[in-house]
């Protein structure tokens, strides 16, 4: 027998009230607009992937949800299908499947839900919306695209003006791997060392040093060098000198240093009160298969949320055996940013409905007159609704008030057949004559605005 | 062991190329805009629902997908969760869960994916996008909202100007049930008769008559009356006289006739070359729990696709035992319309990328100059991209051509340091001097256009 299903909200599956959803929708619309301005085409991929694709890294930590049809005999999942846990695995498959019909380098954005069965906590959900941009080449992809995707995402985040200031932390896997190779660490050690260094955002330097000796089994001298590298931070290309001062040499290290310096210089003009770009040599992005640039992004004051926007370069985003498709991309956790901000800051919309006008109804016989006024306003792109019943005007005004609709429109016909139109701003109480073919609300009222609660 | 997963496209899970996705996105944007102009607020609900909610009608024909976590011991589904098969069940739950925070009548739209494990066929998918509007009241909801949601959906469909002409078919459950009650049929008979009559779009009148006698066990005289009613069609309120002529009387029949006549009259002004509204007394919407108005919509020339847009009135969309929430709504099958139209008519976008301009690159040292031109264009809302490499101009132009980008921008610096800007319309070959701070493409080029293939 199935367990008793939960009632009410499900932990990890956030749902928003209309005025909160408006904020999320504004975020998504802004992202879309910026991505399109930079020439990225929108696509969507199906929610399901073959299970072996989802697990191909042998990494089951993503807590995949398997699907099974209700009437299916076997409990083994519907032909081995699961819900995607990110948008990168499906995108790689989409590129391979449609390679003959796509023009490379292919630039795409994708805003969709993903699912992970992990334990819910702040900023971590079982169902969440991600916004990804990637540029993927056939056989090769120039490094300047690494700078480009970084700049696009900074452009997008900057336009979300209710976001706190943020810091983009960049690093380069070639730099790390070249440095480790220069120390003489083997390929296996490199992975384990990188995995441990990646814990520096949660554990102390001493604790990580202990683990490097105990778990990775490297020498104390190597561990010191590894940690000296990982604790380098710089807001310009000064990190190059600091790394050089550690005295390690390797061709791959040179390449990584050059790329990272180019990235930091290529973003220097974006730095502002709200945006910092830091070379942070501890960033490694754990076990993910990045091969060059890696990025993370943290919101000031929300560091506990972790990185809201991460990505990097893959030498082989996809490969069909004959052709390899390198890619570089960033993924923004829309739910991860929006849901905690809504909860913590009281971010909301100035009203719970799109309507800027409520058209009042004098009596039910007059409803077609009110509807005609509303249709006329809509033809001029003014969102409105007609009152649900011909209640006293005071009650109709309260209907508008409860929803935050700023204007109520009154159309009355006198006994001699004269029709008069008046519109009331219910915030000021001011009521004026208005022509339904010409009246326009103030631009700021036309669409709901995103507000912090104290601004209301 | 899991079955071998399928490779390549999955039947029933349609995916679109970028230029096709652009068409779908345009459809969704148009729907959103129309719904918002009519005061509907957008919400989203989670993809999963408790299984008993999904199966509460005892109707397992929806072929629900169950979820199970990879590491879960039991194969019985993750706490009894499944993917939603429509947006009505989740919306009803959302209304109950948030009733204290919503203002009623509550008007919402919702554009989301839904999943059904049924056999894929044209216009029937396992994963599909729906666009729903509903108005839901607390305790009561005036009938004029039935007319309103109908008008909103006709407004939305009319603005999708690449859609074929369509016919809205309306009926009323009170009319059918009142007529059957007037004939003296019991409540059980009524359901079975309605289910059989609903087959009139697939079976002949004679065949349905046969089933009415054999399966529903009603008399030949009653079957004749039932079929006389079900074959009435009228483009105005003339159906009232035709029904009256059948001589059946019942209070509920009177109510249904009055409502349906009001609906048809209330939509009369929407009728045009592209839009017909027909009272079609065979429409019953099968086993769904409608209690008054019912709608279906068929595209001319695509009748085999079935109804693309259906809905109706529920006296109890939701109920918590104390309070009942009546609702009226319509659901448009976005995938059901868009995917077959793309396949059959070659509907596509005028280009595969949002960019209207490709900014050429003279040499890699000059890339920042090209990027600055591009940023300037973007600040004036002109989507563009910078060429991926400093190839010969002919090759850069072919890059634009392959994507359908109409303009290529050239910025050159002569030896004396003079910078000149020129823009080429690669369709006409015309190349002119241009000021990056002022040049604007023709309005029709600014965004990709939806085209039929022959228009290209």
């Amino acid at each position: 027998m199935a367990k008793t299903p939960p009632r009410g909200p499900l932990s990890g599956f956030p749902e928003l009230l209309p005025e909160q959803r408006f904020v999320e929708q504004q975020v998504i619309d802004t992202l879309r607009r910026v991505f399109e301005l930079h020439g990225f085409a929108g696509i969507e991929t199906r929610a399901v992937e073959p299970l072996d694709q989802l697990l191909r890294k042998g990494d089951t930590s993503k807590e995949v949800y398997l699907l099974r049809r209700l009437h299916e005999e076997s409990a083994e999942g519907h032909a081995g299908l699961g819900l995607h846990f990110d948008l990168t695995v499906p995108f790689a498959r989409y590129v391979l499947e449609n390679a003959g019909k796509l023009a490379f380098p292919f630039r795409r954005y994708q805003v969709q839900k993903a699912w992970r069965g992990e334990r819910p906590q702040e900023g971590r959900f079982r169902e969440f919306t991600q916004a990804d941009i990637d540029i993927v080449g056939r056989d090769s992809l120039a490094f300047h695209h690494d700078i480009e995707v970084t700049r696009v995402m900074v452009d997008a985040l900057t336009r979300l003006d209710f976001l706190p200031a943020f810091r983009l932390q960049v690093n380069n896997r070639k730099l790390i791997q070249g440095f480790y190779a220069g120390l003489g660490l083997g390929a296996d050690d490199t992975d384990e060392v990188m995995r441990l260094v990646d814990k520096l955002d949660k554990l102390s330097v001493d604790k990580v040093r202990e683990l490097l000796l105990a778990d990775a089994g490297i020498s104390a001298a190597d561990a010191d060098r590894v940690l000296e590298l990982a604790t380098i931070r710089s807001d310009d290309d000064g990190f190059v000198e600091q790394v050089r001062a550690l005295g390690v040499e390797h061709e791959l290290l040179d390449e990584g240093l050059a790329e990272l310096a180019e990235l930091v210089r290529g973003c220097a003009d974006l730095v502002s009160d709200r945006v910092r770009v830091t070379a942070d040599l501890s960033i490694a992005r754990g076990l993910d298969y990045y091969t060059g640039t890696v990025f993370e992004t943290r919101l000031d004051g929300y560091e506990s949320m972790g990185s809201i926007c991460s990505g990097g370069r893959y030498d082989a985003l996809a490969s069909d055996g004959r052709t390899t498709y390198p890619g570089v991309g960033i993924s923004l956790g829309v739910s991860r940013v929006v849901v905690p901000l809504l909860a913590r800051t009281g971010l909301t919309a100035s009203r719970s409905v799109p309507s800027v006008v409520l058209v009042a109804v004098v009596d039910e016989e007059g409803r077609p007159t009110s509807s005609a006024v509303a249709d006329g306003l809509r033809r001029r792109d003014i969102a409105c609704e007609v009152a649900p019943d011909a209640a006293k005007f005071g009650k109709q005004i309260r209907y508008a008030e409860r929803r935050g609709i700023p204007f109520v429109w009154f159309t009355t016909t006198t006994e001699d057949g004269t029709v008069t139109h008046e519109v009331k701003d219910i915030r000021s109480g001011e009521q004026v004559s208005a022509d339904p073919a010409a009246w326009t609300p103030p631009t700021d009222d036309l669409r709901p605005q995103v507000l912090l609660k104290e601004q209301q």
Side-chain angles (χ1 to χ4, degrees), chain A:
Chain A
M1 294 298 295
K3 295 174 212 164
T4 305
R7 288 283 147 220
L10 284 177
S11 174
F13 293 87
E15 286 187 329
L16 304 177
L17 290 170
E19 56 274 26
Q20 298 175 318
R21 167 62 184 166
F22 178 82
V23 176
E24 185 181 60
Q25 185 69 65
Q26 283 285 99
V27 169
I28 291 169
D29 288 349
T30 302
L31 296 174
R32 250 182 77 186
R33 186 74 196 122
V34 174
F35 299 159
E36 291 180 355
L37 280 175
H38 287 267
F40 289 76
I43 65 159
E44 284 203 334
T45 54
R46 64 193 189 215
V48 304
E49 294 295 330
L51 206 51
D52 66 339
Q53 285 295 306
L54 294 172
L55 304 177
R56 70 188 160 135
K57 292 182 196 164
D59 174 7
T60 59
S61 64
K62 299 292 195 289
E63 292 276 7
V64 172
Y65 280 111
L66 275 62
L67 291 190
R68 178 165 72 87
R69 274 164 60 201
L70 186 60
H71 300 299
E72 215 164 23
E73 300 280 300
S74 147
E76 295 302 332
H78 173 51
L81 295 179
L83 294 176
H84 57 223
F85 56 79
D86 72 3
L87 304 179
T88 304
V89 170
F91 175 57
R93 194 239 337 125
Y94 178 96
V95 166
L96 286 181
E97 235 171 77
N98 298 290
K101 295 170 187 157
L102 301 175
F104 293 94
F106 175 49
R107 312 152 68 84
R108 84 84 174 79
Y109 74 89
Q110 198 170 341
V111 183
Q112 277 186 258
K113 297 237 164 65
W115 295 267
R116 296 185 185 190
E118 62 188 352
R119 191 171 60 84
Q121 47 183 302
E122 188 181 38
R124 296 257 180 187
F125 305 106
R126 293 184 155 184
E127 176 176 68
F128 50 94
T129 300
Q130 297 211 165
D132 281 28
I133 52 170
D134 283 274
I135 303 177
V136 57
R138 186 157 46 200
D139 300 320
S140 68
L141 183 72
F143 176 75
H144 63 74
H145 292 298
D146 292 40
I147 302 173
E148 185 180 12
V149 296
T150 313
R151 293 184 63 95
V152 174
M153 202 50 104
V154 169
D155 189 3
L157 289 172
T158 308
R159 296 203 202 195
L160 299 174
D161 47 19
F162 49 83
L163 269 194
F166 59 91
R167 179 192 292 271
L168 198 71
Q169 296 158 300
V170 293
N171 195 6
N172 192 298
R173 280 275 183 102
K174 291 178 190 170
L175 190 163
I176 309 175
Q177 286 169 339
F179 188 89
Y180 293 176
L183 283 177
L185 301 180
D188 287 356
D189 289 338
T190 295
D191 279 358
E192 178 65 1
V193 169
M194 202 147 50
R195 194 181 65 78
L196 294 171
V197 167
D198 206 44
K199 293 180 187 292
L200 277 172
D201 61 340
K202 297 197 185 73
L203 303 178
S204 70
V205 173
D206 287 346
K207 181 67 197 167
V208 171
R209 186 172 189 281
E210 213 171 275
L211 292 170
L212 285 170
L213 301 180
D215 292 9
I218 65 173
S219 71
D222 284 350
D224 287 340
R225 290 297 176 78
V226 161
L227 288 169
E228 279 166 359
L229 182 79
T231 46
I232 291 174
R233 308 271 179 283
S234 117
D235 286 351
D236 54 28
D237 58 10
F239 67 90
V240 176
E241 283 310 302
Q242 297 176 59
V243 175
R244 291 287 180 217
L246 299 177
V248 175
E249 297 206 351
H250 195 276
E251 206 185 339
L252 197 60
L253 171 62
D254 295 344
E255 221 179 288
L257 282 170
E259 286 190 358
L260 186 58
E262 200 177 331
L263 180 62
V264 171
R265 285 193 300 263
C267 295
D269 62 314
L270 301 176
V271 171
S272 71
D273 284 358
R274 290 188 60 214
V275 183
R276 275 164 308 162
V277 178
T278 305
D280 179 332
L281 273 49
S282 73
I283 301 292
R285 300 293 309 144
L287 288 175
D288 285 321
Y289 282 9
Y290 296 109
T291 50
T293 302
V294 282
F295 333 84
E296 295 194 350
T297 314
R298 282 175 172 75
L299 292 181
D300 289 4
Y302 293 81
E303 288 78 4
S304 65
M305 259 163 43
S307 173
I308 58 152
C309 182
S310 314
R313 156 75 68 149
Y314 296 89
D315 278 346
L317 176 77
S319 171
D320 61 8
R322 286 189 312 271
T323 310
T324 297
Y325 299 87
V328 61
I330 311 196
S331 175
L332 170 64
V334 174
S335 305
R336 171 172 278 204
V337 176
V338 170
V339 177
L341 272 184
L342 289 171
R344 285 216 223 165
T345 68
L347 205 61
T348 190
S350 54
R351 53 186 190 258
S352 65
V353 294
S355 311
V356 56
V357 180
L358 174 75
V359 182
V361 173
V362 177
D363 49 37
E364 281 305 322
E365 290 66 49
R367 179 170 296 279
T369 308
S370 300
S371 296
V373 168
D375 281 336
L377 293 173
R378 288 179 193 124
R379 272 192 294 275
R380 294 187 297 109
D381 272 342
I382 299 166
C384 57
E385 56 192 276
V386 176
D389 51 56
K392 288 188 181 154
F393 283 163
K395 204 179 157 199
Q396 297 193 47
I397 290 170
R398 279 195 299 281
Y399 174 98
E401 248 165 7
R402 256 198 310 277
R403 289 157 176 81
I405 301 172
F407 294 96
V408 179
W409 189 283
F410 301 99
T411 299
T412 45
T413 311
T414 55
E415 278 183 20
D416 66 355
T418 315
V419 177
T420 60
H421 297 281
E422 290 188 290
V423 65
K424 184 190 195 80
D425 182 331
I426 62 175
R427 295 162 300 191
S428 65
E430 192 192 12
Q431 184 164 333
V432 296
S433 288
D435 176 356
W439 179 84
T440 301
T443 308
D444 279 356
D445 285 331
L446 199 55
R447 304 208 63 205
Q449 302 290 308
V450 173
L451 297 178
L452 290 172
K453 274 237 171 76
E454 59 256 37
Q455 294 177 296
Q456 280 190 296

